[in-house]
Amino acid sequence: MNNRKIAIIDEDKKTLEALEEILTMGGYAPIPVINPLLAVNTLIDNKPDIILMELRMPRKSGFELTHTINGIFETKKVPIIAMSESYKDEFRWLLDFCGIKRWIKKPFQPLDLIWAIESELDEGHQWDRESRLAGMEMMA
């Protein structure tokens, strides 16, 4: 098991439960957040490796919440994978503006979700590796 912590922010209880089950079976440690108004404190307290973010929530949109998360020192480097049942090309600029590089359309297959998570984690590790190598070259 990899024990990577994955925060799931979604106001739909059934979706949240289904995602928790998928992530647990995949060897991850899910951190469910049903109330987006409490999400920031939960993220700071639990330090997830990735955040799965529903974009359309009644109390606070995923776009707003992502903007808030990216403005906080403790959470700004945590990659966010957006989730939504609907997506329009005109939202692409808003995703880019919010710093969301990856999006997955609901409903999705469990393996598609795991692939998206692993791809995002691999990109982060690649960046860390490149940063360390660059730092070593500067020291030489």
Side-chain angles (χ1 to χ4, degrees):
M1 292 193 145
N2 62 31
N3 293 323
R4 296 292 190 123
K5 292 191 261 181
I6 312 293
I8 314 161
I9 304 172
D10 197 319
E11 288 188 297
D12 182 71
K13 187 177 181 180
K14 288 182 181 181
T15 300
L16 206 56
E17 289 171 352
L19 287 170
E20 276 187 271
E21 185 176 340
I22 291 167
L23 293 175
T24 300
M25 289 174 56
Y28 300 99
I31 303 165
V33 181
I34 197 160
N35 184 347
L37 302 176
L38 303 175
V40 172
N41 289 334
T42 302
L43 297 174
I44 290 171
D45 291 344
N46 290 282
K47 298 172 183 60
D49 296 292
I50 286 194
I51 300 166
L52 299 178
M53 174 79 68
E54 170 59 52
L55 294 176
R56 297 183 182 260
M57 296 182 283
R59 290 186 265 188
K60 188 168 194 171
S61 80
F63 294 110
E64 293 174 289
L65 189 52
T66 297
H67 182 71
T68 301
I69 289 167
N70 287 335
I72 298 170
F73 178 77
E74 295 90 344
T75 56
K76 69 181 179 181
K77 290 191 178 184
V78 179
I80 297 173
I81 298 174
M83 306 179 298
S84 186
E85 289 180 9
S86 62
Y87 176 81
K88 297 180 180 168
D89 284 334
E90 59 259 28
F91 290 151
R92 184 73 238 167
W93 73 269
L94 193 51
L95 292 172
D96 290 339
F97 179 77
C98 290
I100 297 173
K101 294 186 261 173
R102 204 171 297 277
W103 174 81
I104 188 165
K105 184 173 174 34
K106 290 179 174 178
F108 43 77
Q109 296 297 316
L111 288 178
D112 292 337
L113 176 64
I114 300 301
W115 178 86
I117 290 169
E118 288 300 318
S119 295
E120 195 64 42
L121 289 170
D122 286 345
E123 281 182 23
H125 287 305
Q126 182 67 29
W127 182 84
D128 288 344
R129 188 171 34 251
E130 289 170 3
S131 296
R132 284 193 299 260
L133 289 173
M136 286 182 213
E137 288 173 4
M138 291 177 66
M139 292 169 47

